Amino acid sequence: MKILRYDAAAIALSLAVFILFTWFGLQRSGETGYLIIEDSKGRLIYPLSEERDVVLQGPVGESHIHIGKDSARFVHSDCPDGLCVQSGPVERPGDWAACLPNQIFIYVGDRE
């Protein structure tokens, strides 16, 4: 079986497109995004790449949120059931968690 000139060009073009998409995909995977926190007082936005602790006051007490290592999570809340703490970390765009008794909603998204 002999490879023709057009076959070699098609293979080279396919390989170039594959490398290009792989390179762009790897560049985008380095972006960590932002943690967006919404409560009754407004909206706070923090980069997921910077480690910090945020303490917010809600109707039933304090909620502690830890941001670090490209994720964020509720680490403590004065709410009676603690489901927000049990929900685990939010890491990727679209991930979210909420403390309903304290009216705090966190999610990963763009800075907007």
Side-chain angles (χ1 to χ4, degrees):
M1 185 162 150
K2 189 174 181 181
I3 296 178
L4 301 175
R5 189 176 347 173
Y6 295 112
D7 294 334
I11 291 170
L13 181 63
S14 297
L15 186 59
V17 168
F18 173 76
I19 291 171
L20 188 66
F21 277 112
T22 302
W23 183 74
F24 279 121
L26 290 174
Q27 293 295 321
R28 287 196 53 98
S29 68
E31 298 175 7
T32 58
Y34 294 90
L35 178 71
I36 301 166
I37 303 172
E38 294 182 357
D39 67 359
S40 60
K41 297 174 189 90
R43 177 186 287 187
L44 302 168
I45 301 173
Y46 299 104
L48 282 174
S49 59
E50 296 178 13
E51 189 158 337
R52 73 177 67 218
D53 291 306
V54 179
V55 179
L56 299 169
Q57 188 67 35
V60 298
E62 290 184 343
S63 289
H64 298 248
I65 301 166
H66 178 74
I67 305 168
K69 298 182 182 175
D70 298 331
S71 68
R73 66 178 298 133
F74 284 96
V75 291
H76 172 77
S77 186
D78 291 334
C79 58
D81 56 11
L83 291 176
C84 55
V85 176
Q86 297 173 23
S87 67
V90 294
E91 302 170 324
R92 287 169 274 167
D95 287 354
W96 62 273
C99 181
L100 296 180
N102 270 335
Q103 301 172 0
I104 299 170
F105 181 65
I106 66 173
Y107 62 97
V108 178
D110 294 329
R111 189 173 187 132
E112 298 176 1

